[in-house]
């Protein structure tokens, strides 16, 4: 009897705290607007339903999370999940959609604060930020990436392709856009685990250099180059893009690709970044920049604080430029933009694949990384899949030709060759 009375008092206190925090009012607002498939279970066991037939259950582990739930943002909810103050039962991607509903009902603005003041991105800080993200461990990434470990947007011609096939098609799409030819010299800035340089050397007969700041990526990429017997034509360097001119000299490459990298250089450094690419590229050489962009023309993040979560837990120092800013900065460095392609639907699908693949191997992942790290990545992948599907950000491939001298480009008059 004594135990039951203590439990009863604890339950009543938890319910009272929920009322006091405004959680019950938020639940009523959500129900009045059609409801959400969510239930919240409080520390004492009290359950609050936000709609009929809940598919997602948030389990509150401490009182501090009650205030987060009462006035939620995606940043605050993500932090509470990562830090173990809230557990969830149900599909992670469904949970992200529910969390966005809560953030909207709670009054969180769709446009978050300017996530970062325009930072200077010193070389050593960029190196630490990159290693924080990519040196989680190759074994972890292997669990949910494709067999080539391509950590960027895949290319789905029909939507029915496997992730492995869609990533091969993406590599092909890039090589065709760059019009690679045997004997040319290709630079891949931010080469990851080497998939593009290996594909380009094997299929197109180029000599290729890939650079990365990640120690783990460089080590595995070099192993793959050696295993493919391509060490005479493919080189992997742990190098910052700002060191390229000093290392290779002017006009040392015929073609340059940068896939999923320029969003990490910082808005203030875009001129330096594109200028460096121009300096190492020969006249009339082609440059393909593939990167995530903001949808707000003033480069402000959207998504009820989702960008704050990414900056704090996933990739410190990232800044997303709007497409117009990227094109302007490229033009200022004597690039003539030839083709711009949005891949937003492709990235939403890619991220959904990654999220589901990680969910299918949670036990293996839990044996590879700490529990907190696994929570971060589950929230990140599902959240990004939802964000791209909602249009909070985009991803563009921009193909340009270096044009410091007047006259025609060295490109065909139509785009037919892009899709053969």
């Amino acid at each position: 009897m004594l135990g039951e009375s203590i439990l009863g008092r604890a339950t009543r206190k938890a319910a009272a705290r929920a009322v006091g925090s405004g959680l019950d009012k938020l639940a009523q607002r959500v129900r009045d607007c059609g409801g959400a498939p969510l239930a919240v279970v409080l520390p004492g066991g009290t359950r609050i339903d936000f709609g009929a037939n809940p598919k997602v259950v948030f389990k509150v582990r401490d009182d501090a999370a009650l205030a987060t739930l009462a006035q939620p943002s995606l940043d605050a909810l993500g932090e509470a999940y990562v830090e173990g103050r809230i557990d969830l039962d149900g599909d992670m991607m469904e949970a992200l959609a529910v969390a966005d509903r809560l953030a909207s009902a709670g009054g969180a603005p769709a446009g978050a604060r300017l996530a970062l003041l325009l930072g200077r991105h010193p070389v050593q800080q960029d190196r630490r930020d990159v290693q924080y993200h990519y040196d989680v461990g190759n074994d972890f990434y292997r669990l949910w990436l494709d067999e080539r470990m391509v950590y960027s947007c895949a290319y789905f011609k029909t939507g029915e392709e496997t992730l492995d096939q869609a990533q091969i098609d993406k590599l092909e799409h890039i090589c065709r856009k760059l019009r690679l030819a045997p004997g040319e010299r290709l630079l891949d800035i931010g080469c990851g685990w080497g998939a593009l340089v290996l594909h380009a050397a094997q299929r197109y007969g180029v000599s290729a250099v890939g650079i990365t700041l990640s120690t783990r990526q460089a080590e595995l990429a070099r192993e793959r180059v050696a295993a493919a017997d391509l060490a005479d034509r493919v080189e992997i360097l742990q190098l910052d893009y700002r060191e390229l001119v000093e290392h290779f000299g002017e006009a040392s490459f015929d073609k340059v690709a940068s896939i999923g990298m320029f969003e990490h250089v910082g808005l203030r450094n875009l001129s330096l970044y594109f200028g460096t690419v121009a300096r190492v590229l020969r006249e009339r050489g082609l440059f393909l920049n593939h990167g995530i962009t903001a949808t707000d023309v003033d480069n402000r993040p959207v998504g009820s604080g989702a960008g704050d979560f990414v900056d704090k837990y996933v990739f410190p120092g990232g800044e997303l430029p709007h497409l117009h800013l990227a094109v302007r900065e490229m033009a200022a460095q004597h690039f003539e933009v030839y083709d711009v392609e949005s891949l937003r639907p492709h990235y939403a699908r890619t991220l959904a694949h990654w999220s589901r693949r990680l969910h299918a191997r949670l036990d293996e992942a839990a044996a590879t990384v700490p529990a907190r790290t696994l929570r971060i990545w589950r929230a990140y992948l599902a959240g990004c899949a939802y964000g791209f599907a909602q249009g909070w950000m985009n991803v563009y491939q921009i193909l340009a030709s270096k044009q410091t001298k007047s006259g025609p480009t060295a490109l065909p008059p139509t785009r037919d060759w892009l899709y053969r």
Side-chain angles (χ1 to χ4, degrees), residues 247-281:
H247 194 92
F248 292 105
E250 306 272 347
S252 49
F253 293 95
D254 300 290
K255 309 288 171 63
V256 176
S258 180
I259 314 301
M261 186 275 179
F262 95 129
E263 50 267 58
H264 307 308
V265 306
L267 301 182
R268 184 174 288 178
N269 284 342
L270 286 177
S271 176
L272 173 63
Y273 167 69
F274 289 127
T276 299
V277 174
R279 290 182 65 186
V280 298
L281 185 62

Side-chain angles (χ1 to χ4, degrees), residues 142-178:
R142 279 193 187 97
L143 292 175
W144 47 274
L145 292 177
D146 65 298
E147 62 182 356
R148 289 167 178 77
M149 294 179 70
V150 182
Y151 185 36
S152 57
C153 175
Y155 190 69
F156 295 89
K157 293 181 178 180
T158 68
E160 300 301 318
E161 294 86 355
T162 64
L163 180 62
D164 287 322
Q165 184 60 52
Q167 290 292 15
I168 293 173
D169 289 342
K170 191 272 292 295
L171 297 176
E172 273 291 301
H173 196 45
I174 291 168
C175 291
R176 283 198 308 273
K177 283 187 174 184
L178 287 170

Side-chain angles (χ1 to χ4, degrees), residues 274-351:
F274 289 127
T276 299
V277 174
R279 290 182 65 186
V280 298
L281 185 62
R282 67 166 171 81
E283 181 70 16
R284 293 320 196 253
L286 296 181
F287 170 41
L288 187 137
N289 190 83
H290 169 129
I292 302 171
T293 61
T295 53
D296 183 274
V297 294
D298 294 318
N299 308 300
R300 293 171 299 196
V302 298
S304 303
D308 294 346
F309 175 85
V310 173
D311 179 56
K312 181 174 182 178
Y313 287 104
V314 186
F315 207 122
E319 295 178 288
L320 303 184
H322 189 270
L323 174 64
H324 86 277
L325 179 59
V327 171
R328 187 187 74 184
E329 294 293 345
M330 290 177 74
Q333 301 301 325
H334 303 288
F335 282 109
E336 180 177 354
V337 173
Y338 181 81
D339 182 81
V340 177
E341 182 177 12
S342 168
L343 298 181
R344 181 168 74 86
H346 298 265
Y347 213 3
R349 190 180 295 273
T350 303
L351 284 152

Side-chain angles (χ1 to χ4, degrees), residues 2-318:
L2 179 60
E4 291 178 357
S5 64
I6 292 174
L7 178 61
R9 287 198 298 273
T11 301
R12 288 193 296 274
K13 286 180 179 179
R17 287 193 296 270
V19 171
S21 70
L23 182 58
D24 61 326
K25 295 179 181 179
L26 176 62
Q28 188 60 55
R29 284 200 300 273
V30 172
R31 290 193 295 266
D32 290 345
C33 294
L38 169 69
V40 174
V41 178
L42 304 178
T46 300
R47 174 176 167 134
I48 300 175
D49 287 336
F50 284 66
N53 303 316
K55 298 179 181 178
V56 176
V57 178
F58 289 168
K59 296 180 178 179
V60 181
R61 295 303 184 193
D62 66 35
D63 290 350
L66 290 173
T68 297
L69 282 166
Q71 293 184 313
S73 68
L74 291 184
D75 174 37
L77 289 171
E79 179 174 345
Y81 171 70
V82 165
E83 302 300 342
R85 297 196 297 273
I86 295 175
D87 285 337
L88 73 88
D89 290 339
D91 181 75
M92 177 60 76
M93 293 183 64
E94 181 107 39
L96 259 297
V98 167
D100 186 38
R101 288 280 305 277
L102 291 188
S104 297
R113 67 171 176 83
L114 273 169
L116 298 166
L117 297 177
L118 300 185
R120 295 187 181 276
H121 286 254
V123 173
Q124 291 305 316
Q125 184 61 53
D126 279 358
R127 193 180 301 274
R128 287 192 294 270
D129 290 345
V130 166
Q131 291 175 350
Y132 171 85
H133 184 83
Y134 293 107
D135 288 351
V136 172
N138 294 337
D139 290 342
F140 175 68
Y141 284 101
R142 279 193 187 97
L143 292 175
W144 47 274
L145 292 177
D146 65 298
E147 62 182 356
R148 289 167 178 77
M149 294 179 70
V150 182
Y151 185 36
S152 57
C153 175
Y155 190 69
F156 295 89
K157 293 181 178 180
T158 68
E160 300 301 318
E161 294 86 355
T162 64
L163 180 62
D164 287 322
Q165 184 60 52
Q167 290 292 15
I168 293 173
D169 289 342
K170 191 272 292 295
L171 297 176
E172 273 291 301
H173 196 45
I174 291 168
C175 291
R176 283 198 308 273
K177 283 187 174 184
L178 287 170
R179 298 179 62 80
L180 295 181
E184 288 188 326
R185 193 155 163 80
L186 168 69
L187 170 66
D188 183 9
I189 303 175
C191 66
W193 291 276
L196 177 59
V197 289
L198 284 167
H199 185 89
Q202 290 168 329
R203 300 286 185 92
Y204 290 84
V206 303
S207 295
V209 174
I211 68 169
T212 177
L213 292 178
S214 166
T215 301
R216 297 284 186 88
Q217 286 186 336
E219 291 171 348
L220 181 55
R222 288 175 186 136
E223 291 175 13
R224 290 181 159 185
V225 168
D229 197 25
L230 287 170
D232 60 330
R233 287 195 288 125
V234 178
E235 184 179 16
I236 305 296
L237 298 175
Q238 207 169 341
L239 199 68
D240 187 272
Y241 74 92
R242 284 161 285 203
E243 301 169 302
L244 283 168
V245 176
E246 179 181 357
H247 194 92
F248 292 105
E250 306 272 347
S252 49
F253 293 95
D254 300 290
K255 309 288 171 63
V256 176
S258 180
I259 314 301
M261 186 275 179
F262 95 129
E263 50 267 58
H264 307 308
V265 306
L267 301 182
R268 184 174 288 178
N269 284 342
L270 286 177
S271 176
L272 173 63
Y273 167 69
F274 289 127
T276 299
V277 174
R279 290 182 65 186
V280 298
L281 185 62
R282 67 166 171 81
E283 181 70 16
R284 293 320 196 253
L286 296 181
F287 170 41
L288 187 137
N289 190 83
H290 169 129
I292 302 171
T293 61
T295 53
D296 183 274
V297 294
D298 294 318
N299 308 300
R300 293 171 299 196
V302 298
S304 303
D308 294 346
F309 175 85
V310 173
D311 179 56
K312 181 174 182 178
Y313 287 104
V314 186
F315 207 122

